[in-house]
Amino acid sequence: METHTHNDVLLQWSAPERLPVARGKKWYAVMGALVIASGIWSILSAAWTLAIVIILGSAMYYQNIRSRLGSNTVSIHKDGLQVGDRLSLWEHCTGFWIYRHGKNVVMHIEKVRGWEREIAVVIDGLDYQNVAEIMSNFLPYRGARREKLLDYIIRICKL
């Protein structure tokens, strides 16, 4: 990992690790009912391991959504994008696109290869057009790209 000087940073901001999601009492009631119904169904059908997976998975998921959102420092450098302590070099990226989720603006960076094929970063407290202008110096803007279907379903279901 290369170290960067402050002069190397073109733009820097702090962003939450993931988009904040507001879940109401109705959401918890519906999801709780689904978990209980699935658990009862798996017990009645003698699928004990499925019942254990449903109970433990639900407990882990609940613990995860109740945990506080962390934040990352995002910085655009001359040689790449750094999110937290991970630097993605421009040579390993193919393009970027930006779109809005209500009040939140999200930038996606598509990578050539690797486990993490796409980086999603919340643009918080900045003009997203300024971010796009700086990013377009290094990567092509993919204006036709939109949210993936699975991401859309996850967002709509508030998962």
Side-chain angles (χ1 to χ4, degrees):
M1 171 84 95
E2 297 178 28
T3 56
H4 296 281
T5 64
H6 186 66
N7 297 338
D8 180 57
V9 176
L10 301 174
L11 188 64
Q12 184 172 349
W13 70 94
S14 180
E17 290 177 343
R18 60 184 189 271
L19 284 173
V21 178
R23 298 175 183 93
K25 291 179 181 180
K26 183 178 178 181
W27 184 89
Y28 285 105
V30 169
M31 287 301 156
L34 284 173
V35 168
I36 290 169
S38 300
I40 290 172
W41 176 79
S42 63
I43 290 170
L44 292 176
S45 62
W48 300 107
T49 53
L50 179 60
I52 292 170
V53 168
I54 289 171
I55 292 167
L56 292 178
S58 301
M60 287 174 34
Y61 183 75
Y62 180 75
Q63 179 65 28
N64 185 38
I65 64 174
R66 298 299 290 177
S67 64
R68 295 187 69 198
L69 280 177
S71 67
N72 283 323
T73 300
V74 180
S75 52
I76 301 173
H77 298 271
K78 293 176 184 172
D79 55 349
L81 179 81
Q82 187 168 354
V83 180
D85 59 353
R86 298 185 68 194
L87 176 69
S88 298
L89 298 174
W90 299 128
E91 303 86 68
H92 300 154
C93 302
T94 58
F96 78 100
W97 61 98
I98 297 174
Y99 55 89
R100 181 180 304 275
H101 291 298
K103 294 186 284 185
N104 300 304
V105 178
V106 180
M107 176 174 64
H108 288 258
I109 297 95
E110 186 176 46
K111 295 179 74 175
V112 176
R113 63 182 177 278
W115 180 256
E116 189 178 33
R117 295 292 302 246
E118 196 174 290
I119 302 169
V121 177
V122 178
I123 299 174
D124 195 22
L126 292 174
D127 179 18
Y128 70 92
Q129 293 172 333
N130 184 33
V131 175
E133 184 179 320
I134 293 171
M135 288 291 293
S136 64
N137 292 324
F138 304 104
L139 295 174
Y141 181 70
R142 310 246 191 249
R145 296 290 302 267
R146 292 289 172 238
E147 187 175 25
K148 293 181 181 178
L149 180 61
L150 184 60
D151 292 336
Y152 174 76
I153 292 169
I154 288 170
R155 184 172 54 84
I156 294 300
C157 295
K158 299 182 180 184
L159 297 176

